[in-house]
Amino acid sequence: MRIFSHVIPSSISYNELMQFLVVEDEPGIASILKRGLSEEGYLVDLAYDGQEALDKWEMQQYDLIILDLFIPKVRGLEVCKRIRALNRDIPILILTALDSPDDKARGLDLGADDYLVKPFNLSELLARIRALLRRGQRAGLTPLAIGGLKLDQASRQAIRNGRDIPLTTKEYIVLEYLMRNQGRVISQSELLEHAWDYNYSGLSNVVETYIRYLRKKISVHGEKPLIYTLRGSGYILKEEK
């Protein structure tokens, strides 16, 4: 069966950014979804049945749930109903082969925020995810901010003092992690672990290189620096008064 029409590149990143739970009982489809979403910078947990999904949801705070309906143990509609009863805000996107109008109506009535039918296009899935995350921000989620620098996690846009800052995917991943951990020293190995995959075998100075890129982009025209190096320890993002 064709799952989606997008070809996933071979270079995969594993990053601690926004954390998703993907509930899908077909291992092949689950693996493809995890790879595709991880490449976009999302941290992905998998659950292969409804009970596992509920157990993981109770233990971990997720930013979004992607939920198949036809799953073992506890069906997807029941999972959706239980989670929505306890959490009104978490975005739930149903991703399923069930495509009748009645199926869609039941899913949305039980609390899902969106409904996408298989086979699907990865670009459309990612666009729908971004829309759901933007909706969450409009509902009150605060963008990351420090020293005139703001990072919108839904749109992945960085702005400082009204100036748009263009970022590559990897630059965004590094900056987002630093801003989530502002005021804390982050070691080079920690950044490698979260912004590159665990088997990364590139040059040892890759973190230093990307820190240099970010410094040049976020501090221009006399703006105060925000990223500092602590020799032998790592990097810290903070605002000097």
Side-chain angles (χ1 to χ4, degrees):
M1 180 180 71
R2 179 174 63 88
I3 305 304
F4 52 72
S5 62
H6 179 87
V7 177
I8 298 175
S10 59
S11 177
I12 304 299
S13 298
Y14 185 80
N15 315 298
E16 184 175 323
L17 301 174
M18 305 196 85
Q19 191 161 13
F20 295 173
L21 177 63
V22 172
V23 188
E24 170 60 63
D25 66 319
E26 289 289 339
I29 300 176
S31 177
I32 291 171
L33 283 168
K34 180 168 184 175
R35 290 178 59 199
L37 293 168
S38 296
E39 186 192 39
E40 292 297 312
Y42 300 115
L43 182 62
V44 180
D45 283 348
L46 297 176
Y48 296 99
D49 62 63
Q51 188 57 57
E52 183 183 10
L54 292 169
D55 291 343
K56 287 190 172 182
W57 176 76
E58 288 181 357
M59 294 186 295
Q60 175 66 48
Q61 181 177 350
Y62 292 104
D63 296 291
L64 182 138
I65 296 174
I66 298 174
L67 177 64
D68 189 11
L69 293 184
F70 198 66
I71 51 177
K73 296 187 179 179
V74 181
R75 293 302 193 193
L77 287 176
E78 181 64 22
V79 172
C80 181
K81 180 181 177 180
R82 292 188 195 180
I83 291 176
R84 184 56 75 221
L86 296 173
N87 187 317
R88 294 183 301 171
D89 300 322
I90 185 170
I92 300 174
L93 189 156
I94 290 176
L95 183 63
T96 182
L98 300 177
D99 61 354
S100 75
D102 287 344
D103 289 324
K104 294 179 183 179
R106 279 194 292 270
L108 295 171
D109 285 344
L110 287 174
D113 298 283
D114 202 354
Y115 194 110
L116 185 60
V117 176
K118 301 173 184 175
F120 61 96
N121 182 285
L122 182 58
S123 296
E124 181 181 0
L125 174 63
L126 293 172
R128 287 171 181 252
I129 287 171
R130 290 191 294 268
L132 290 175
L133 295 176
R134 284 195 299 270
R135 187 184 307 171
Q137 289 203 331
R138 288 195 295 271
L141 294 178
T142 303
L144 297 170
I146 184 174
L149 174 65
K150 293 183 179 181
L151 194 66
D152 185 321
Q153 297 167 85
S155 65
R156 300 195 168 196
Q157 292 180 323
I159 298 174
R160 189 173 191 191
N161 299 323
R163 171 177 57 87
D164 289 335
I165 302 173
L167 298 173
T168 66
T169 299
K170 194 65 68 178
E171 288 168 348
Y172 172 85
I173 290 168
V174 174
L175 180 59
E176 198 267 2
Y177 192 71
L178 289 171
M179 292 190 73
R180 275 184 178 246
N181 293 277
Q182 56 186 269
R184 182 171 76 84
V185 178
I186 307 296
S187 68
Q188 185 179 90
S189 61
E190 185 174 347
L191 275 175
L192 276 170
E193 177 180 327
H194 289 286
W196 284 265
D197 74 36
Y198 292 104
N199 296 318
Y200 181 77
S201 58
L203 298 175
S204 60
N205 66 347
V206 65
V207 173
E208 182 180 344
T209 298
Y210 274 87
I211 292 294
R212 185 170 66 251
Y213 292 160
L214 286 171
R215 282 177 173 147
K216 289 181 179 179
K217 289 187 174 185
I218 67 177
S219 298
V220 301
H221 308 308
E223 292 171 330
K224 290 183 178 179
L226 295 175
I227 303 175
Y228 296 86
T229 300
L230 280 68
R231 295 195 178 278
S233 299
Y235 307 94
I236 186 170
L237 186 141
K238 63 179 181 178
E239 183 181 11
E240 292 283 9
K241 303 298 185 180

